[in-house]
Amino acid sequence: MLFCILAILITIGHFNFVVFLHNWFYSKPFPRLLGDLIQATHILFGFFGLFFIYILTLKTESFLIAPHIDLLPDAFLGYGLFCSFVAAILFPINELFRNCWALSPYLYRQISSFFDYENHFVMNKPFNFLNDSFKLEIVSAEISTEFLPVNSQLKILHISDFHFGGNDNYAYYQFVLAQIDAEVYDFAFFTGDLVDNVAFLRWVVPLLKKIKTKHGKFAVLGNHDLWNDPDMVRKYLRKAGFTCLSDQWCSIEYEGKRIGIFGNEFPWFSKKLPDLSSDVYDIKILLTHSPDEFFWAANQKFNLMFCGHVHGGQISLPFFGPLLIPSKFGRRFGSGFFSNSGMIMHVSRGLAGSFPLRINCKPEVTILSLVSKQVLL
Ligand SMILES: [Fe+2]
């Protein structure tokens, strides 16, 4: 009985540790090759470790039944005890508190519309029967705020992670844009990873120029843009009407309020997070690629933060949620809305990825309506 319980705990603990290592390492600004090498090492370590579960369990069981201090330097025993501790203590605590930053006091209404591109076209893609890669979800969310002028509303389009080239189906992107380009938004924000291959930059202008706004379109770049040609990515984004913000503010007057939009590309382009706490605007909006700046942004007194990068994990298990989230906070900020100290963050699952496989994790476009509290009363 003890053997069975330990074997399950050690397997869960080992699995959790490998996922933690992957997420933490992959949040770092390593060059692409090194990142891929680290990822391959984790996959090998993950699967290789499973072969030793029997020995790990045997050693851990005999130690727990009759503890011998002379057994402690044993690497198998050490790892077995560590995995048991992770599975029995750390994993449940983490699961309990993982959603404590979820947005509840501000989210007034959220409605999703689903558009199945597969109904319109036939295509080849891996794991076809499970793959959600072309099942678009348009999230329309209403957020009540105190920082907007009385009786006003701001409509923001948030798009992210287009990965042109990783997904080489132009008709899919045309299909997505056709669902969102009829409306005129107050702002449009793109939060990085435009291309996986510079040859596909030719898609940028015909697709993204269609997005219409009253007060501007703004973008930051992501790690995949850095690994390609960031100067060219910025050039094409500008041609499509976007203002690229790289550690810069853009100030906009809106109904007597000053809105400051700051684009931050840490850790891939800038190496240090700046101190912006004394930069005063009526409404402070942050665009980043990664959700890892969540706590820093709240300290800098931002009202809103938009990001992508983590793709919702691309594979999300029922009940358990996403596994592989390249963030130093692990699986905490996989997708959706989060809040801290009055700041609201939206993490987009993005539209695509380097590899067109999504299971239980649909591509996402978000239309966010910020509504002053008086409108909702
Ligand atoms: Fe991405």
Side-chain angles (χ1 to χ4, degrees):
M1 181 67 177
L2 180 63
F3 184 87
C4 290
I5 293 169
L6 278 174
I8 292 167
L9 284 179
I10 288 169
T11 308
I12 293 172
H14 170 68
F15 192 51
N16 263 276
F17 182 52
V18 175
V19 167
F20 166 80
L21 282 180
H22 170 276
N23 290 342
W24 193 84
F25 272 106
Y26 221 61
S27 71
K28 304 294 162 213
F30 294 129
R32 184 171 204 172
L33 198 64
L34 183 59
D36 288 347
L37 206 68
I38 291 169
Q39 192 172 24
T41 312
H42 292 148
I43 292 168
L44 274 176
F45 174 53
F47 284 109
F48 204 56
L50 293 175
F51 289 110
F52 293 101
I53 296 293
Y54 179 75
I55 303 170
L56 291 169
T57 310
L58 215 58
K59 293 233 174 190
T60 312
E61 185 194 33
S62 42
F63 180 77
L64 291 178
I65 290 169
H68 296 295
I69 201 77
D70 53 320
L71 273 176
L72 274 175
D74 189 305
F76 282 110
L77 172 65
Y79 191 61
L81 287 170
F82 170 73
C83 288
S84 309
F85 176 72
V86 168
I89 311 288
L90 295 184
F91 173 58
I93 290 174
N94 185 53
E95 285 306 290
L96 210 60
F97 292 102
R98 193 159 62 90
N99 292 319
C100 69
W101 306 107
L103 181 87
S104 52
Y106 307 102
L107 188 61
Y108 181 70
R109 185 184 295 138
Q110 183 172 322
I111 303 163
S112 284
S113 312
F114 299 94
F115 299 85
D116 193 347
Y117 174 70
E118 287 166 307
N119 288 341
H120 304 264
F121 300 90
V122 177
M123 65 196 66
N124 292 319
K125 55 186 171 46
F127 305 101
N128 205 38
F129 65 104
L130 281 174
N131 200 337
D132 284 345
S133 284
F134 299 94
K135 292 174 182 169
L136 175 69
E137 179 176 354
I138 298 184
V139 179
S140 302
E142 268 182 38
I143 304 273
S144 69
T145 63
E146 285 170 352
F147 50 76
L148 277 182
V150 176
N151 292 329
S152 64
Q153 291 191 39
L154 266 184
K155 194 165 256 197
I156 296 170
L157 174 72
H158 182 203
I159 47 177
S160 194
D161 295 84
F162 275 35
H163 287 269
F164 288 156
N167 179 346
D168 59 1
N169 192 323
Y170 186 67
Y172 164 68
Y173 292 104
Q174 283 183 308
F175 172 80
V176 172
L177 265 295
Q179 313 307 321
I180 56 174
D181 67 5
E183 207 165 328
V184 181
Y185 306 94
D186 286 296
F187 294 102
F189 298 143
F190 176 75
T191 49
D193 279 1
L194 185 64
V195 288
D196 271 333
N197 182 337
V198 284
F200 291 82
L201 279 170
R202 66 184 187 279
W203 291 1
V204 176
V205 176
L207 288 169
L208 296 188
K209 203 158 188 168
K210 290 177 180 171
I211 297 170
K212 297 178 281 294
T213 62
K214 292 177 195 164
H215 305 290
K217 306 194 275 191
F218 299 89
V220 289
L221 302 198
N223 49 321
H224 286 256
D225 302 313
L226 175 69
W227 295 336
N228 284 283
D229 187 339
D231 292 336
M232 287 297 279
V233 174
R234 288 189 213 281
K235 188 179 158 190
Y236 274 82
L237 277 168
R238 276 187 220 110
K239 278 187 188 177
F242 278 79
T243 302
C244 296
L245 297 173
S246 187
D247 262 340
Q248 288 164 291
W249 283 105
C250 184
S251 176
I252 288 143
E253 291 295 322
Y254 170 77
E255 298 196 5
K257 297 258 183 186
R258 259 180 92 224
I259 299 179
I261 302 170
F262 190 82
N264 175 262
E265 294 168 334
F266 181 85
W268 294 283
F269 291 88
S270 47
K271 298 296 165 209
K272 199 167 164 263
L273 286 167
D275 181 9
L276 307 170
S277 53
S278 53
D279 296 356
V280 180
Y281 292 89
D282 296 309
I283 302 168
K284 285 169 88 170
I285 300 175
L286 174 69
L287 310 184
T288 66
H289 184 51
S290 166
D292 280 0
E293 280 64 79
F294 179 64
F295 294 103
W296 168 79
N299 282 334
Q300 303 299 312
K301 303 194 174 11
F302 279 97
N303 302 100
L304 292 164
M305 172 177 166
F306 293 86
C307 58
H309 180 51
V310 294
H311 302 190
Q314 287 200 207
I315 296 173
S316 181
L317 304 179
F319 308 113
F320 191 71
L323 286 180
L324 304 179
I325 298 287
S327 159
K328 66 180 179 186
F329 300 112
R331 305 187 300 117
R332 193 180 288 177
F333 302 127
S335 70
F337 293 97
F338 303 88
S339 68
N340 181 22
S341 307
M343 185 193 77
I344 300 159
M345 172 172 78
H346 180 248
V347 186
S348 172
R349 293 192 301 272
L351 263 193
S354 296
F355 188 68
L357 175 66
R358 283 175 179 253
I359 297 174
N360 196 25
C361 181
K362 293 179 175 62
E364 172 191 349
V365 163
T366 302
I367 299 163
L368 186 68
S369 296
L370 291 171
V371 185
S372 68
K373 267 197 168 160
Q374 294 82 355
V375 173
L376 297 173
L377 291 175

